[in-house]
Amino acid sequence: MISALHSRLSTSKSAHEKLARLRLDILAQAAHISDCLLSLEGEREHLSMAIEQRKRLLSPVRRLPSEILSHIFSLTVIFPLPTKIKDNIDKDSDDWREIIPSESMLWTIELVCKDWRKVVLQFPELWSHFNVNL
């Protein structure tokens, strides 16, 4: 009877050791799977950004002819250019107004992309107005 219990004890010890090794293997696999998931999430984010960039390249506004773009730009520009009264300047002096180029849409439009800048610079109608203070 003691030998039977001894044999069962040795069998249970080997089964326990097997289960402990199996548990360590499963934990190692879970860690590997977790690392793979993190890597795949990073790759998915990278691919999503690449897809968004390509979608922007296919945008219909990028296919508009330069003549239409220049017409749209000319409708957005305010002529004459916006001005403001300078602070602390004598109103009797000739230099009491200041042009505010940053409020002109031309400066903003030309900074959107190189194609829009080229359109803005190619059409002199957009640059043909100037302010004269009298």
Side-chain angles (χ1 to χ4, degrees), residues 10-53:
S10 122
T11 305
S12 74
K13 279 184 181 178
S14 72
H16 177 71
E17 289 171 359
K18 265 185 170 176
L19 288 174
R21 283 193 304 267
L22 184 60
R23 180 179 172 269
L24 289 176
D25 286 345
I26 290 172
L27 289 174
Q29 287 178 358
H32 177 70
I33 290 171
S34 182
D35 291 343
C36 287
L37 281 174
L38 286 174
S39 173
L40 288 173
E41 286 174 0
E43 187 176 343
R44 182 180 71 188
E45 183 67 29
H46 177 72
L47 289 173
S48 294
M49 289 182 351
I51 288 170
E52 285 302 314
Q53 280 182 327

Side-chain angles (χ1 to χ4, degrees), residues 2-134:
I2 291 182
S3 68
L5 289 174
H6 217 305
S7 136
R8 283 182 68 193
L9 180 62
S10 122
T11 305
S12 74
K13 279 184 181 178
S14 72
H16 177 71
E17 289 171 359
K18 265 185 170 176
L19 288 174
R21 283 193 304 267
L22 184 60
R23 180 179 172 269
L24 289 176
D25 286 345
I26 290 172
L27 289 174
Q29 287 178 358
H32 177 70
I33 290 171
S34 182
D35 291 343
C36 287
L37 281 174
L38 286 174
S39 173
L40 288 173
E41 286 174 0
E43 187 176 343
R44 182 180 71 188
E45 183 67 29
H46 177 72
L47 289 173
S48 294
M49 289 182 351
I51 288 170
E52 285 302 314
Q53 280 182 327
R54 275 139 183 103
K55 278 184 181 178
R56 279 185 246 136
L57 289 174
L58 297 174
S59 172
V61 74
R62 295 180 75 71
R63 294 188 297 260
L64 284 175
S66 57
E67 292 80 11
I68 293 176
L69 275 175
S70 69
H71 181 70
I72 292 170
F73 296 162
S74 69
L75 296 174
T76 64
V77 176
I78 302 169
F79 294 113
L81 291 175
T83 60
K84 72 173 186 174
I85 297 174
K86 289 183 181 179
D87 296 330
N88 302 326
I89 296 290
D90 181 17
K91 300 291 188 235
D92 296 327
S93 80
D94 293 336
D95 193 28
W96 59 276
R97 288 194 172 270
E98 178 179 20
I99 294 177
I100 311 168
S102 63
E103 290 186 17
S104 172
M105 284 303 295
L106 282 178
W107 304 112
T108 306
I109 291 170
E110 75 165 343
L111 295 175
V112 171
C113 66
K114 66 180 182 179
D115 292 332
W116 283 24
R117 177 179 169 79
K118 187 168 67 173
V119 169
V120 166
L121 295 177
Q122 281 179 344
F123 285 88
E125 296 85 18
L126 296 173
W127 298 97
S128 63
H129 297 277
F130 58 93
N131 289 358
V132 175
N133 292 327
L134 298 176

